[in-house]
Structures are given as C-alpha cells and as structure tokens.
C-alpha cells in the first residue's frame, strides 16, 4: 500500500477481537519504531512489550480516561525515553509511536495512542509514575505513551480526507 494511502486510512481503533497478534507482525511493528528518526541519532527510546492480561488490565487504569481499551488489547507497547540521555526524548518517542501506528495500519491491525505524559490516574497520581511503578521502569526513564494493539473487531471506514484541510497550510507567512 502506498504510504500516503496508509496515512489516509489510519484510524484510532479501540475495539479488539481478543485474538493474539502474530509475533511476526509484532516484530515488524517494533522494527518500525526502532527505525524512527532520533535527534542527533542519540536514540533514547526504548519499548516494553506487554502481553500479560493482568498487566494490560493494570495499564488500562493508568489514566482518568482513554486507556480502558488496554484491558482488551492483544498487547501494548509502552514507549519510554531515557531523559538523562537526550533532551529531545519526547519528540523521539513521538516519532517512534507514529511509525508504529502507521505500520500497524499497514499490517491490518488495530492501534491506538494512549498518552501518558502529563496525564493523571483516577486517584490523581501522575500516569507516568503509575506506569513506571507497575512495570518497574528505572527512575531516569520517562513514560511518553502506550501503543494499544489488537486485531480489529470490525473494519473502520477511512475518514473522508478532502481539500478542507488545506486552510491549515500557510505558504511563506501565516
């Protein structure tokens, strides 16, 4: 599939069949994330792959809202950055997430970005701290987001991308 068409077809999918993602597809998604550009090629991004249902249930409680689908996901990829290694860890993590979202779409899988940085749990705790505690992430790492992955429960129609977005493009000056 052509890259622009993959981008046009990509949707955030939150409903899954519960079936396991083939390891060959998961490996390709991980590889895509590792291939993402990194500021100064410092590469502070690391992934924690979570397939255990009990842990996915715990991760589904990492935010006040917007993480519930993790309890039904086949797996999750927690994207963390070594904040002591690079000042652009947030951007580097975001690029890795974007690459993995596009690859999941290309492979026919359902995926959704679950933002953790700057979010809170139901009890008011910082989401990143909650995730670090349950996954035993070392202190110098920061949690950016979680990629929720699964087999889509149903096919989603692509959004109708038309020329109305062109009003957001400014040439030369605002």
């Amino acid at each position: 599939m052509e890259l622009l068409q993959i981008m046009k077809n990509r949707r955030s999918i939150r409903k899954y069949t519960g079936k396991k993602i083939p390891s060959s597809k998961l490996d390709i998604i991980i590889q895509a994330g590792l291939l993402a550009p990194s500021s100064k090629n410092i590469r502070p991004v690391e992934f924690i792959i979570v397939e255990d249902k009990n842990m996915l249930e715990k991760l589904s409680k990492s935010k006040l809202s917007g993480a519930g689908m993790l309890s039904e996901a086949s797996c999750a990829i927690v994207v963390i950055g070594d904040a002591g290694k690079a000042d652009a860890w947030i951007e580097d993590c975001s690029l890795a997430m974007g690459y993995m979202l596009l690859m999941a779409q290309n492979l026919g899988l359902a995926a959704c970005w679950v933002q953790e940085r700057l979010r809170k749990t139901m009890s008011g705790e910082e989401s990143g701290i909650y995730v670090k505690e349950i996954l035993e992430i070392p202190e110098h790492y920061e949690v950016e987001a979680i990629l929720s992955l699964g087999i889509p429960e149903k096919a989603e129609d692509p959004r109708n991308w038309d020329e109305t977005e062109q009003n957001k493009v400014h040439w030369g000056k605002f």
Side-chain angles (χ1 to χ4, degrees):
M1 190 183 296
E2 185 180 325
L3 182 57
L4 189 58
Q5 193 59 50
I6 293 167
M7 292 173 170
K8 287 181 178 181
N9 290 344
R10 198 208 66 77
R11 301 285 305 264
S12 293
I13 310 279
R14 297 170 178 85
K15 296 203 182 282
Y16 316 112
T17 64
K19 294 178 185 171
K20 186 172 172 54
I21 294 174
S23 61
S24 59
K25 288 187 176 187
L26 186 55
D27 289 344
I28 292 169
I29 292 169
I30 294 165
Q31 185 177 0
L34 293 171
L35 288 170
S38 172
S39 176
K40 301 178 187 175
N41 203 30
I42 295 173
R43 313 200 72 69
V45 180
E46 296 186 28
F47 307 135
I48 301 170
I49 314 306
V50 179
E51 295 180 295
D52 177 75
K53 284 297 185 186
N54 291 328
M55 191 59 74
L56 288 168
E57 179 65 34
K58 288 179 183 177
L59 288 174
S60 76
K61 296 173 177 28
S62 65
K63 290 176 42 173
L64 186 59
S65 65
M69 85 289 286
L70 288 165
S71 66
E72 301 301 320
S74 297
C75 76
I77 301 175
V78 181
V79 179
I80 61 174
D82 186 339
K85 192 174 184 181
D87 62 350
W89 69 269
I90 296 168
E91 294 83 352
D92 290 349
C93 287
S94 297
L95 281 163
M97 283 288 291
Y99 271 44
M100 290 189 294
L101 280 165
L102 291 173
M103 186 54 73
Q105 174 67 37
N106 186 52
L107 296 172
L109 299 174
C112 188
W113 181 311
V114 180
Q115 181 63 28
E116 296 293 332
R117 187 178 53 79
L118 303 178
R119 299 298 186 262
K120 302 273 186 195
T121 65
M122 291 181 101
S123 64
E125 180 182 13
E126 287 183 36
S127 295
I129 291 173
Y130 172 85
V131 173
K132 284 170 79 168
E133 287 174 357
I134 64 172
L135 295 178
E136 302 176 12
I137 299 170
E139 190 175 316
H140 63 283
Y141 286 91
E142 297 296 335
V143 178
E144 172 62 18
I146 301 172
L147 182 64
S148 177
L149 289 166
I151 308 294
E153 189 174 272
K154 66 176 185 147
E156 295 284 339
D157 292 333
R159 287 200 167 84
N160 183 16
W161 295 105
D162 57 24
E163 299 303 313
T164 61
E165 293 292 309
Q166 291 302 312
N167 66 345
K168 297 180 181 178
V169 178
H170 310 279
W171 293 85
K173 294 182 181 179
F174 191 89

